[in-house]
Amino acid sequence: MTEFDRLAHAIGACRQCADRFAATPTGHDPRPVLWAAPGAPILIASQAPGTRVHASGRPFDDQSGARLRDWIGLDEATFWDRSRVAFQPMAFCFPGQDAKGGDLPPPPICAATWAAPLRAALGPARLTLLVGGAAQRHHLPRALTARGLSATIAGWGDLPADVIALPHPSWRNTHWLKANPWFAQELLPLVKARVRAALADAPLAQPGRGD
Ligand code: SF4
């Protein structure tokens, strides 16, 4: 059994948040969703499963996933091919919902327990996509995230070529997408080019707007 196999078994058996989840309105049991394999060239670092993913056991198996695949230019077969794309959420389990039906934030204990050993077991990715503010704050220096999500994403030229920050593809961000047309017009073509290059083991495209 490899180190990754041992870790995957431990994450799958984790019940650290059982009492926390039982106290939410959904009152659900932990269901860790780990979808990764060592050596995948693309790492998608994201937030936490929602209700659909909690039911299916597959990351981004919902409308957010359809939008994310469109953004990064991947079909379903490639997106869910563990040898090509690994997922590292801030929490592996659905955190539950508040009284208004909004998703609760990822329990911090999950990343505190599993993030570092998982990254070590997976090895370096050629391209890391940081999806949402929680993943960006976890993986990037504070100096790059202190001005908020829009500034972090808009400052793509300040990030290393192997890291891209994206908003969460939730329908809740549709207004943000309309208010920031540069995201689709300028950043997404670069994202697609880097994803293609990462999968082809080719050099990653540099920013094209001179910043
Ligand atoms: S969210 Fe993470 S720490 Fe909490 S039970 Fe699930 S795997 Fe364990």
Side-chain angles (χ1 to χ4, degrees):
M1 187 182 271
T2 67
E3 181 54 35
F4 175 80
D5 292 337
R6 273 190 286 275
L7 188 62
H9 184 267
I11 293 173
C14 181
R15 295 294 180 270
Q16 288 190 99
C17 302
D19 291 346
R20 180 188 185 115
F21 296 161
T24 68
T26 37
H28 59 290
D29 293 323
R31 184 187 185 185
V33 177
L34 174 61
W35 197 276
I42 295 176
L43 178 73
I44 295 180
S46 57
Q47 180 130 332
T51 51
R52 292 277 303 271
V53 174
H54 179 67
S56 76
R58 199 164 61 161
F60 283 102
D61 193 6
D62 51 18
Q63 286 304 309
S64 292
R67 177 180 263 174
L68 181 59
R69 286 191 294 279
D70 180 57
W71 286 354
I72 67 179
L74 292 185
D75 58 23
E76 291 188 359
T78 308
F79 185 76
W80 282 310
D81 179 349
R82 290 176 175 85
S83 72
R84 293 193 273 189
V85 181
F87 294 84
Q88 184 181 8
M90 294 300 295
F92 292 104
C93 298
F94 169 51
Q97 294 177 332
D98 59 26
K100 295 180 179 172
D103 285 352
L104 292 167
I109 194 173
C110 195
T113 306
W114 302 118
L118 181 60
R119 284 300 289 269
L122 290 176
R126 293 206 68 232
L127 179 65
T128 298
L129 305 178
L130 302 177
V131 179
Q136 289 156 22
R137 288 188 295 276
H138 179 82
H139 291 276
L140 293 175
R142 175 158 170 71
L144 292 173
T145 61
R147 290 184 295 133
L149 180 127
S150 296
T152 304
I153 298 168
W156 69 78
D158 299 329
L159 301 180
D162 61 351
V163 176
I164 291 179
L166 298 170
H168 195 280
S170 163
W171 62 268
R172 289 186 176 85
N173 282 331
T174 298
H175 176 74
W176 186 93
L177 297 172
K178 287 181 179 166
N180 295 279
W182 53 265
F183 174 74
Q185 294 164 4
E186 298 180 47
L187 181 54
L188 287 188
L190 176 69
V191 172
K192 290 185 174 79
R194 285 190 185 171
V195 167
R196 281 196 304 271
L199 292 174
D201 205 18
L204 299 176
Q206 296 299 314
R209 63 173 189 176
D211 51 0

